[in-house]
Amino acid sequence: MTQLLWQKPGVQVDERIQHFCAGADVILDREFLLFDIQASRAHAQGLQMIGILDATELDAIERELATLADDFASGRFVLDETYEDGHSAIEARLIDRLGDAGRKIHTGRSRNDQVLVATRLWLKDRLARLRELCLETTGIALTRADVESGLPLPGYTHLQRAVVSSAGMWWSAWAEAFIDNAARADDTLAWVDANPLGSAAGYGVNLPLAREHTTQALGFGRMQVSATYAQLSRGKFEMAAIEALSSGMLDLRRLAWDLSLFTSAEFGFVTLPAQYTTGSSIMPNKRNPDVIELMRASYASVAAARSEIEQLLSLPSGYHRDLQFSKGAIFHAFGRGLGALELLPDLLRNLEWKPEAMRAALEPSMYATDLAVDLARAGTPFRDAYRQAADPARWEAGDADASLAARVSPGAAGDLRLDLLRERLHALGGQAEGAPQT
Ligand code: ARG
């Protein structure tokens, strides 16, 4: 272990205690290191603006930070337990290579705002990816909703056959869900887009730090003004990001559930792309939908991470080391969550319907609601029409295509209003797959 930044003379460092406090944490800091380097650069620029560093020192620091980023990316620099954390690793490197200029980098900052700013940049990056994946998912779902709008699919409530539905309705549901999920990622991104750098340990410092500069240099939408609130927002912003993620994951869980039912022999409506299934070690006949099951299960990790952070936040104001454990939680949540969402577009693009099985599962009772509404439209009070249509003697094998075509309530099979969904998708910067590039 390199010399600890805060080591006091005469106090022996106990390796076990050190490992407990920092062992796993420094490894987690690998996720943050490039963002920490980026923020260190902005901080150094700010220090030069207020006369703490001269132009030559700033230049040397900027160059050395760039080299460190390259070395880290190429594996020449390894962040491990030699260091207490990523923050001190950066400082140690600058001191080692640059001497006094390096010894100045930590002026006016604390590891408390350093970890905050790195986390914030990381969250922004992950939320942007979340948004992108949601838009891509929507793009495919919208296109397939259009193409397969007339393909009949049983509609269920309580898992009981209910009414005739369509692949178009199924797809448009996910299209709109993932528009909402993208919008939520966007809103959350804007919410967390606040620069905590320059809040130091949570109480500011006796220097006119160039916080407007670092805010702009790091691409933040605003400065997080109160130095003390910056600390209070640790964990709170992480939870908001996880909530945005869980919105998509909740829909993914239900979509995966549909597919696991639809691919079973009992339903038999869908064939998954071959790569999305695996074999059994003992049963030569099996093709198992493991991928969609793990997609479904990924929600659990996201929900658990949110709950872990919520439990950590039972704290008075100010920094507490407890907050360190919020890091593992966000990495786990976004690792699992985005890992699952990354595989979704291709799955949706390539899954195949089995139209005969879908039609075969439509039974006469599923037209009873159409009949009741038809009678009501002809003037029978709906409650009476309902009673008449409940009589099995009146059920006949209906015409699925006509039933779908007649379902003209906006948002139903006969009038999917995909144009409205397309508009929202475009407003968010996405587009339906296969649509011409504009
Ligand atoms: N690893 C620490 C964390 O994530 C960095 C901040 C350390 N600050 C401190 N005062 N010990 O919270």
Side-chain angles (χ1 to χ4, degrees), residues 372 375 381-391 394:
L375 292 169
F382 179 75
R383 206 35 74 207
D384 299 329
Y386 173 94
R387 215 171 316 106
Q388 291 169 32
D391 178 1
R394 301 196 60 157

mmCIF file of all heavy atoms in Angstrom, residues 372 375 381-391 394:
data_model
loop_
_atom_site.group_PDB
_atom_site.id
_atom_site.type_symbol
_atom_site.label_atom_id
_atom_site.label_comp_id
_atom_site.label_asym_id
_atom_site.label_seq_id
_atom_site.Cartn_x
_atom_site.Cartn_y
_atom_site.Cartn_z
ATOM 1 N N ALA A 372 -71.763 -7.942 -27.040
ATOM 2 C CA ALA A 372 -72.450 -7.067 -26.082
ATOM 3 C C ALA A 372 -72.373 -5.614 -26.538
ATOM 4 O O ALA A 372 -73.369 -4.875 -26.505
ATOM 5 C CB ALA A 372 -71.831 -7.229 -24.694
ATOM 6 N N LEU A 375 -74.651 -4.999 -29.547
ATOM 7 C CA LEU A 375 -76.060 -4.861 -29.144
ATOM 8 C C LEU A 375 -76.299 -3.488 -28.518
ATOM 9 O O LEU A 375 -77.309 -2.832 -28.779
ATOM 10 C CB LEU A 375 -76.439 -5.976 -28.144
ATOM 11 C CG LEU A 375 -76.465 -7.405 -28.719
ATOM 12 C CD1 LEU A 375 -76.593 -8.443 -27.598
ATOM 13 C CD2 LEU A 375 -77.623 -7.558 -29.719
ATOM 14 N N PRO A 381 -79.699 -1.281 -23.779
ATOM 15 C CA PRO A 381 -78.858 -0.806 -22.663
ATOM 16 C C PRO A 381 -77.757 -1.822 -22.380
ATOM 17 O O PRO A 381 -78.011 -3.035 -22.412
ATOM 18 C CB PRO A 381 -79.834 -0.724 -21.486
ATOM 19 C CG PRO A 381 -81.180 -0.583 -22.118
ATOM 20 C CD PRO A 381 -81.115 -1.370 -23.411
ATOM 21 N N PHE A 382 -76.552 -1.327 -22.121
ATOM 22 C CA PHE A 382 -75.413 -2.239 -22.056
ATOM 23 C C PHE A 382 -75.623 -3.370 -21.054
ATOM 24 O O PHE A 382 -75.269 -4.511 -21.322
ATOM 25 C CB PHE A 382 -74.108 -1.501 -21.725
ATOM 26 C CG PHE A 382 -72.951 -2.461 -21.648
ATOM 27 C CD1 PHE A 382 -72.399 -2.994 -22.806
ATOM 28 C CD2 PHE A 382 -72.468 -2.910 -20.421
ATOM 29 C CE1 PHE A 382 -71.375 -3.930 -22.747
ATOM 30 C CE2 PHE A 382 -71.433 -3.860 -20.360
ATOM 31 C CZ PHE A 382 -70.892 -4.358 -21.535
ATOM 32 N N ARG A 383 -76.227 -3.077 -19.900
ATOM 33 C CA ARG A 383 -76.374 -4.136 -18.891
ATOM 34 C C ARG A 383 -77.241 -5.282 -19.405
ATOM 35 O O ARG A 383 -76.975 -6.455 -19.112
ATOM 36 C CB ARG A 383 -76.935 -3.510 -17.601
ATOM 37 C CG ARG A 383 -76.609 -4.225 -16.315
ATOM 38 C CD ARG A 383 -75.252 -4.875 -16.228
ATOM 39 N NE ARG A 383 -74.119 -3.989 -16.067
ATOM 40 C CZ ARG A 383 -72.888 -4.296 -16.476
ATOM 41 N NH1 ARG A 383 -72.619 -5.428 -17.076
ATOM 42 N NH2 ARG A 383 -71.908 -3.452 -16.297
ATOM 43 N N ASP A 384 -78.233 -4.951 -20.229
ATOM 44 C CA ASP A 384 -79.073 -6.019 -20.819
ATOM 45 C C ASP A 384 -78.295 -6.740 -21.919
ATOM 46 O O ASP A 384 -78.329 -7.960 -22.042
ATOM 47 C CB ASP A 384 -80.354 -5.430 -21.414
ATOM 48 C CG ASP A 384 -81.184 -4.735 -20.325
ATOM 49 O OD1 ASP A 384 -81.117 -5.182 -19.161
ATOM 50 O OD2 ASP A 384 -81.860 -3.728 -20.649
ATOM 51 N N ALA A 385 -77.600 -5.951 -22.711
ATOM 52 C CA ALA A 385 -76.797 -6.543 -23.794
ATOM 53 C C ALA A 385 -75.781 -7.518 -23.205
ATOM 54 O O ALA A 385 -75.552 -8.609 -23.737
ATOM 55 C CB ALA A 385 -76.080 -5.432 -24.561
ATOM 56 N N TYR A 386 -75.221 -7.122 -22.093
ATOM 57 C CA TYR A 386 -74.217 -7.949 -21.421
ATOM 58 C C TYR A 386 -74.824 -9.301 -21.060
ATOM 59 O O TYR A 386 -74.241 -10.353 -21.297
ATOM 60 C CB TYR A 386 -73.739 -7.199 -20.170
ATOM 61 C CG TYR A 386 -72.820 -7.960 -19.250
ATOM 62 C CD1 TYR A 386 -71.437 -7.843 -19.359
ATOM 63 C CD2 TYR A 386 -73.336 -8.781 -18.241
ATOM 64 C CE1 TYR A 386 -70.593 -8.528 -18.497
ATOM 65 C CE2 TYR A 386 -72.501 -9.469 -17.376
ATOM 66 C CZ TYR A 386 -71.131 -9.338 -17.505
ATOM 67 O OH TYR A 386 -70.308 -10.013 -16.654
ATOM 68 N N ARG A 387 -76.031 -9.251 -20.493
ATOM 69 C CA ARG A 387 -76.687 -10.500 -20.081
ATOM 70 C C ARG A 387 -76.978 -11.387 -21.299
ATOM 71 O O ARG A 387 -76.746 -12.585 -21.282
ATOM 72 C CB ARG A 387 -77.971 -10.195 -19.308
ATOM 73 C CG ARG A 387 -78.192 -11.216 -18.196
ATOM 74 C CD ARG A 387 -79.332 -10.878 -17.221
ATOM 75 N NE ARG A 387 -79.372 -9.494 -16.774
ATOM 76 C CZ ARG A 387 -80.261 -8.580 -17.186
ATOM 77 N NH1 ARG A 387 -81.187 -8.882 -18.084
ATOM 78 N NH2 ARG A 387 -80.228 -7.353 -16.714
ATOM 79 N N GLN A 388 -77.466 -10.765 -22.350
ATOM 80 C CA GLN A 388 -77.750 -11.558 -23.560
ATOM 81 C C GLN A 388 -76.465 -12.185 -24.108
ATOM 82 O O GLN A 388 -76.439 -13.351 -24.481
ATOM 83 C CB GLN A 388 -78.375 -10.675 -24.638
ATOM 84 C CG GLN A 388 -79.792 -10.216 -24.297
ATOM 85 C CD GLN A 388 -80.278 -9.129 -25.266
ATOM 86 O OE1 GLN A 388 -79.897 -9.122 -26.441
ATOM 87 N NE2 GLN A 388 -81.109 -8.225 -24.774
ATOM 88 N N ALA A 389 -75.398 -11.406 -24.128
ATOM 89 C CA ALA A 389 -74.141 -11.895 -24.725
ATOM 90 C C ALA A 389 -73.442 -12.908 -23.829
ATOM 91 O O ALA A 389 -72.532 -13.610 -24.272
ATOM 92 C CB ALA A 389 -73.196 -10.716 -25.006
ATOM 93 N N ALA A 390 -73.892 -13.012 -22.573
ATOM 94 C CA ALA A 390 -73.279 -13.990 -21.661
ATOM 95 C C ALA A 390 -73.799 -15.394 -21.933
ATOM 96 O O ALA A 390 -73.264 -16.374 -21.410
ATOM 97 C CB ALA A 390 -73.579 -13.602 -20.209
ATOM 98 N N ASP A 391 -74.817 -15.492 -22.759
ATOM 99 C CA ASP A 391 -75.431 -16.796 -23.037
ATOM 100 C C ASP A 391 -74.572 -17.567 -24.053
ATOM 101 O O ASP A 391 -74.484 -17.160 -25.224
ATOM 102 C CB ASP A 391 -76.832 -16.542 -23.610
ATOM 103 C CG ASP A 391 -77.539 -17.845 -23.984
ATOM 104 O OD1 ASP A 391 -76.924 -18.936 -23.776
ATOM 105 O OD2 ASP A 391 -78.666 -17.762 -24.495
ATOM 106 N N ARG A 394 -75.267 -18.018 -27.720
ATOM 107 C CA ARG A 394 -75.089 -16.941 -28.705
ATOM 108 C C ARG A 394 -73.660 -16.829 -29.207
ATOM 109 O O ARG A 394 -73.362 -15.987 -30.045
ATOM 110 C CB ARG A 394 -75.524 -15.604 -28.098
ATOM 111 C CG ARG A 394 -76.980 -15.645 -27.652
ATOM 112 C CD ARG A 394 -77.518 -14.268 -27.429
ATOM 113 N NE ARG A 394 -77.464 -13.437 -28.629
ATOM 114 C CZ ARG A 394 -78.230 -12.380 -28.838
ATOM 115 N NH1 ARG A 394 -79.130 -12.050 -27.947
ATOM 116 N NH2 ARG A 394 -78.108 -11.660 -29.919
#
